[in-house]
Amino acid sequence: MSEKQADPDMKGWLYKWTNYLKGYQKRWFVLTNGLLSYYRSQAEMLHTCRGTISLHGAVIHTEDSCNFVISNGGTQTFHLKASSEVERQKWVTALELAKAKAIRQMESGELPVGEDWPLYIQDEDEEDVGDAGADDVANTLKVLTAKLEDLRTCHDLIIKHGAALQKSLSELEVLDGSTQDLTAKTKTVNERATLFRISSNAMINACNDYVDVSSTAGRKWHRLLQHERDQRLRLEDMVEQLARQHSHLEQEAKEQMSQAMPPDAQGPTPTNQKAIEGSPVTEEIDSGHSHSDDEEETEFEDAVEELAENFIVHVNTAQAHKRSSSNVSQLSEEMASLNGSQATTPTEEVKQPNGRPKRQRRTRVPEKPNYPINLWSIMKNCIGKELSKIPMPVNFSEPLSFLQRLTEDFEYSDILDRASQIEDSCEQLSLVAAFTVSSYATTAVRTAKPFNPLLGETYECDRTEDLGWRAINEQVSHHPPIVAQYVEGNAGWSSWQEFAMSSKFRGKYLQIIPLGIAHLEFGNTGNHYTWRKVSTTVHNMIVGKLWLDNHGEMEIVNHQTGDKCCLKFVPYSYFSRETPKKVTGYVVDSEGTLKWFITGMWDEKIEACRVISQSLRGGKPVYETSPPKVLWKRNPITPDADKYYNFTELACQLNEPEELVCPTDSRNRPDQRLMEEGNWDDANAEKLRLEEKQRATRRRREAEAEQAAAEGREYPAYSPMWFRKETDDITGALIFRYTHEYWECKERQDWSRCPDIF
């Protein structure tokens, strides 16, 4: 109980609201010199104050017979409860007197001796903003939900009692009987009016509780949000500083190494070492070392068993292929013989059937100059934006357009040539799966961004003489960016796709999600395959070496037979035991029967084994398979490829100048050509000119469309040159189908339909 004092100062026990878990807790309060302080016990007065609030500018208001609230400008609030209504009134009176005295002293400029006026002292019972988390939010939402349920209950009671009261009043109005009936009805009305008043008061209290909880939680969450904003700003400053330090240290290290080691002392770089430095996964493939037959079979069997937990795979070792004295499997030798154009480079001049020598193509591009650039100054303004809308300097690019980069998917087109000769649809599907994986072979070391094509830009690649295929690509849409492609091979296969993508820069990484469907058709069998590409993530966008990961699931469907192949590109994870860059999969026929198991790595090779038989063991299906055979193996990269953008031989030839190509061909793009030649400053200026020219063309078309609409005329939409938009018979989606007119127009050199984009 409190002690009576004539002085306005006061001390005694009160109950203070702490949080929703503990509720009201008993605390010892002391009011002196315009400050209200509290302690957990009287003994703490000598050494520890748990919280203090200044009454100058404070608002004091009562809630009910025992509760009252003290709020100091919204920065601090004490919810207090006395043991009785009389006790509460004593405290409120003392607080009002202390507040008046504090205001007078503040206005007169007098401060109590030895005292300061704190604007805000952290209340120990209040939770720190930095500690608030998901549990606190969940608890608050739980309380708000309970309060809202109370409001609904009060609302239902008010409706119920209000209707009863209205009914009684109506009966009272029409009553014309005895005095006894009138008395009974009046009593009923009074009872129902009392119930209605009680329900209304309960509703008011419930509303007050809800508002109180909401405002308290709102203030706390506002402080939490401000805290998170401050943390983000500090983190951005820290990352920027780290980026500067990293760039500075990297530059100094390069200078020290170049000064300390003469050029002739530097040994050759092994051709079998992966070229991603700074990647969390750094592996070496020893080309001179090979596993034994048993080790290789065990490794493949383990990989295959990871495809599913509900079946067992047994590799038939009796049919395992033997190795030659050179430690190379006979199967690999057979595969290499089928792929002779990849394994060796002819030393003699090869002639075409017409007697003319084949064209001699270049094997590399000019070396990449070393231009320093502040990565953070560009990237910090790109967070959350669409990749295609970010104005990137050529310093982050490679001297190829995306049209040319897409053509690289057919570097290993010999796989399709072999597939066209196979009659078994499931075996053919396994080769198609290997081909889809091969398109990611160079992405591990190719982290630079290709040039975004301009609307109407095209690219032709006629390699029928040496590689056995030719391709035509066109940028058919700018917003959203869409590339249409058509490729036809001498072996009787054709492939087409429209490629679009959704991409976001998230600060630490860039995620690219391909859209659109790829098609492949074999003319001799009519087998028609479709698939979607997997996602790609580029890591270490700000600090460290860039490295890339392909991940996701791919389903390849044969619409002719119903066969399917499911591939899984295992994502990299620091905590996972999975082999990075691993690919696993299987082929099933139209009835769902397993036919082939597939495993490998998307930057190295793909192997497959045929399912020979199936049985049950312990309730699980057991599959006996043939020994694995290599379906695809990546061509080695030259030791000094990092000096020219890690290009393969085919990539080096894609932008090689060529006569008689379309005026809109990517080879004629001036900014890309300047970058390849090493004139990056001129390339940046030319790139800005081309982009502004494209924007001006778009604005002109928009103005013409508005003018046509005002005049009631129909304005024709942009139409691609070599593709037309129509509905696909297989997927039912809108696609851009090739018109088969490009090569005829090239033969006549009729480029009248081509716009001026360069």
Side-chain angles (χ1 to χ4, degrees), residues 485-713:
Q485 180 187 63
Y486 184 84
V487 186
E488 51 191 344
N490 295 346
W493 56 264
S494 58
S495 177
W496 62 95
Q497 66 173 313
E498 58 175 32
F499 185 90
M501 65 180 182
S502 173
S503 56
K504 287 292 184 180
F505 176 59
R506 302 296 186 184
K508 288 181 60 178
Y509 63 90
L510 172 70
Q511 189 172 27
I512 301 172
I513 304 172
L515 308 175
I517 302 175
H519 296 253
L520 173 65
E521 186 175 19
F522 292 94
N524 55 349
T525 62
N527 289 337
H528 189 136
Y529 301 92
T530 61
W531 66 90
R532 293 180 183 270
K533 296 191 173 184
V534 297
S535 300
T536 301
T537 301
V538 184
H539 297 270
N540 291 347
M541 293 298 294
I542 296 178
V543 179
K545 281 284 186 180
L546 296 177
W547 64 278
L548 185 146
D549 186 33
N550 299 299
H551 52 88
E553 295 183 357
M554 177 188 295
E555 183 181 68
I556 310 171
V557 180
N558 185 342
H559 296 274
Q560 177 81 3
T561 63
D563 303 337
K564 290 184 180 180
C565 174
C566 297
L567 295 178
K568 181 181 180 181
F569 289 66
V570 179
Y572 169 79
S573 174
Y574 182 80
F575 303 99
S576 175
R577 296 182 180 180
E578 291 280 5
T579 305
K581 307 175 185 177
K582 184 177 180 180
V583 180
T584 60
Y586 55 88
V587 176
V588 296
D589 61 14
S590 58
E591 298 178 354
T593 304
L594 282 167
K595 295 295 185 180
W596 288 81
F597 289 110
I598 300 172
T599 188
M601 299 175 65
W602 51 260
D603 69 333
E604 184 179 337
K605 66 178 179 179
I606 290 294
E607 296 180 334
C609 59
R610 184 194 297 271
V611 176
I612 300 176
S613 63
Q614 175 182 349
S615 60
L616 289 176
R617 183 187 303 171
K620 290 186 177 181
V622 180
Y623 297 95
E624 183 180 3
T625 67
S626 65
K629 66 177 182 179
V630 178
L631 301 183
W632 160 76
K633 189 173 183 180
R634 189 190 67 174
N635 295 330
I637 300 178
T638 56
D640 58 345
D642 59 322
K643 296 180 180 179
Y644 48 94
Y645 313 95
N646 287 305
F647 279 0
T648 62
E649 183 173 317
L650 176 63
C652 291
Q653 298 166 357
L654 291 176
N655 200 46
E656 188 174 6
E658 193 167 320
E659 298 179 353
L660 305 179
V661 297
C662 181
T664 57
D665 196 279
S666 299
R667 300 177 182 87
N668 298 326
R669 184 165 175 164
D671 54 347
Q672 187 173 302
R673 182 64 61 192
L674 287 169
M675 181 192 178
E676 181 184 288
E677 295 171 352
N679 301 322
W680 284 16
D681 292 336
D682 296 338
N684 277 319
E686 191 65 23
K687 183 173 182 290
L688 290 176
R689 182 189 69 81
L690 292 176
E691 291 174 350
E692 184 55 39
K693 181 178 181 179
Q694 181 172 240
R695 295 188 192 100
T697 302
R698 186 183 71 249
R699 289 192 294 265
R700 176 181 57 79
R701 288 186 58 85
E702 290 173 352
E704 292 176 354
E706 292 178 0
Q707 181 66 24
E711 298 175 357
R713 295 183 291 104

Side-chain angles (χ1 to χ4, degrees), residues 99-140:
K99 175 184 175 182
K101 182 179 178 181
I103 293 174
R104 288 196 302 270
Q105 289 178 337
M106 179 63 71
E107 291 176 350
S108 62
E110 299 177 2
L111 287 177
V113 179
E115 296 290 343
D116 294 326
W117 293 93
L119 294 177
Y120 176 75
I121 297 178
Q122 175 69 34
D123 183 0
E124 188 184 81
D125 289 329
E126 294 180 4
E127 298 179 16
D128 183 63
V129 171
D131 298 333
D135 293 339
D136 179 69
V137 174
N139 291 332
T140 304

Side-chain angles (χ1 to χ4, degrees), residues 14 22 126 147 150 238 273 316 363 373 387 394 543 686 698 750:
L14 289 172
K22 298 180 180 179
E126 294 180 4
K147 295 293 183 183
D150 293 343
M238 187 185 305
Q273 184 173 354
N316 189 346
T363 58
I373 188 170
L387 179 65
V394 300
V543 179
E686 191 65 23
R698 186 183 71 249
D750 178 12

Side-chain angles (χ1 to χ4, degrees), residues 270-386:
T271 61
N272 53 8
Q273 184 173 354
K274 295 184 179 180
I276 298 184
E277 300 178 2
S279 168
V281 182
T282 305
E283 303 176 274
E284 292 186 359
I285 305 172
D286 190 353
S287 59
H289 172 74
S290 61
H291 299 288
S292 66
D293 290 348
D294 295 338
E295 290 175 340
E296 189 173 275
E297 290 155 6
T298 302
E299 179 181 339
F300 185 86
E301 182 174 353
D302 292 340
V304 169
E305 288 182 359
E306 292 175 2
L307 293 175
E309 298 179 355
N310 297 324
F311 56 81
I312 303 172
V313 177
H314 173 67
V315 180
N316 189 346
T317 57
Q319 300 180 10
H321 53 274
K322 298 180 180 180
R323 291 184 175 270
S324 62
S325 58
S326 61
N327 205 28
V328 179
S329 68
Q330 295 178 1
L331 175 63
S332 300
E333 291 176 352
E334 293 174 2
M335 303 294 287
S337 64
L338 291 173
N339 188 18
S341 61
Q342 300 179 18
T344 59
T345 301
T347 55
E348 298 180 0
E349 183 179 356
V350 181
K351 295 186 178 182
Q352 304 178 44
N354 57 14
R356 291 181 300 178
K358 287 187 176 181
R359 174 178 174 177
Q360 296 297 319
R361 298 184 180 272
R362 65 185 184 183
T363 58
R364 61 180 299 164
V365 295
E367 292 188 2
K368 177 175 62 175
N370 184 18
Y371 283 115
I373 188 170
N374 188 346
L375 176 65
W376 174 250
S377 64
I378 296 174
M379 287 298 180
K380 69 178 181 180
N381 296 321
C382 302
I383 297 177
K385 293 183 179 179
E386 181 72 22

